């Protein structure tokens, strides 16, 4: 039988000191990976919309979107559970990160550096930072977000973002990355986006990833 049972929190009955659970029947992640393309693609998009939507609309970063924390139900819904790793985000925080993402996409070095400085990634004097090198690196590690058409990911794609760090001339880039700081507000967001990419690649899912992320964090035209 492809479905499994797990206890899930009942949000209507649970309170601060009382946790009420219920059973949810659903298809495990491993089983979903063996489903047709249309199901895997739908599943991956739902995951992205849930986690980014929670960050944007509720102001909460959920830092543990690993495959054991959601099930595909028989009626097409996806059940999510285990919210033990979360952080309240400052108001409009994801929108401020969207400014940086837009700058990387458009090659606007000045807005990327200014945005990263405002968010707390770049300490010290801005003249010490090679903005163009940072933008080039960010475009390379997030290559899949800049394709102009639907792209089907694969497990092999998980290693593509490390190529630039293994080049012979990567020493200066690595030195810059080591000097960067990771704002506490962004810690779970970076973990979230990394695990979502890993999940989508493992699912071999297809989407217009760039348009989807612009929809979710820049409030651009809806897709899907």
């Amino acid at each position: 039988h492809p479905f499994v049972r797990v206890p899930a929190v009942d949000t209507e009955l649970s309170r601060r000191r009382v946790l009420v659970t219920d059973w949810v029947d659903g298809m495990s992640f491993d089983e979903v990976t063996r489903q047709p393309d249309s199901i895997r693609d739908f599943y991956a998009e739902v995951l992205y919309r849930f986690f980014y939507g929670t960050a944007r609309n509720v102001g909460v970063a959920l830092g543990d979107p690993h495959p054991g924390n959601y099930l595909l139900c028989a009626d097409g819904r996806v059940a999510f559970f285990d919210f033990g790793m979360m952080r309240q985000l400052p108001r409009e925080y994801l929108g401020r990160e969207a400014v940086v993402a837009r700058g990387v996409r458009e090659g606007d070095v000045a807005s990327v550096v200014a945005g990263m400085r405002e968010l707390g990634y770049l300490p010290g004097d801005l003249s010490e930072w090679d903005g163009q090198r940072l933008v080039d690196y960010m475009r390379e590690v997030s290559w899949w977000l800049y394709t102009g058409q639907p792209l089907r990911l694969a497990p092999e794609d998980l290693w593509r973002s490390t190529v630039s760090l293994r080049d012979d001339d990567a020493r200066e880039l690595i030195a810059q990355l080591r000097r960067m700081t990771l704002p506490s507000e962004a810690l779970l967001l970076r973990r979230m986006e990394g695990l979502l990419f890993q999940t989508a690649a493992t699912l071999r899912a297809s989407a217009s990833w760039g348009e989807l992320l612009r929809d979710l964090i820049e409030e651009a035209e809806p897709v899907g």
Side-chain angles (χ1 to χ4, degrees), residues 96-160:
R96 292 162 60 195
E97 288 213 343
V99 173
V100 176
R102 186 183 306 114
V104 173
R105 184 177 70 249
E106 298 175 353
D108 186 345
V109 176
S111 68
V112 171
V113 171
M116 293 183 70
R117 176 59 175 270
E118 179 186 354
L119 289 168
Y121 286 92
L122 306 180
D125 193 330
L126 281 184
S127 62
E128 301 173 0
W129 297 93
D130 186 338
Q132 187 63 58
R133 187 184 295 273
L134 288 176
V135 170
D136 291 344
Y137 170 71
M138 293 170 72
R139 283 189 64 89
E140 185 170 347
V141 298
S142 53
W143 54 271
W144 53 292
L145 297 178
Y146 302 104
T147 56
Q149 56 189 0
L151 171 69
R152 186 165 300 283
L153 298 173
E156 299 77 32
D157 293 327
L158 294 172
W159 304 104
R160 286 187 57 172

Side-chain angles (χ1 to χ4, degrees), residues 57-117:
N57 301 324
V58 186
V60 174
L62 301 174
D64 203 17
H66 73 75
N69 285 346
Y70 30 83
L71 295 174
L72 177 61
C73 300
D75 60 3
R77 293 181 300 169
V78 179
F80 296 87
F81 37 87
D82 189 357
F83 302 102
M85 185 181 294
M86 61 172 62
R87 182 186 180 93
Q88 194 77 36
L89 296 173
R91 184 176 177 83
E92 304 297 334
Y93 184 84
L94 200 61
R96 292 162 60 195
E97 288 213 343
V99 173
V100 176
R102 186 183 306 114
V104 173
R105 184 177 70 249
E106 298 175 353
D108 186 345
V109 176
S111 68
V112 171
V113 171
M116 293 183 70
R117 176 59 175 270

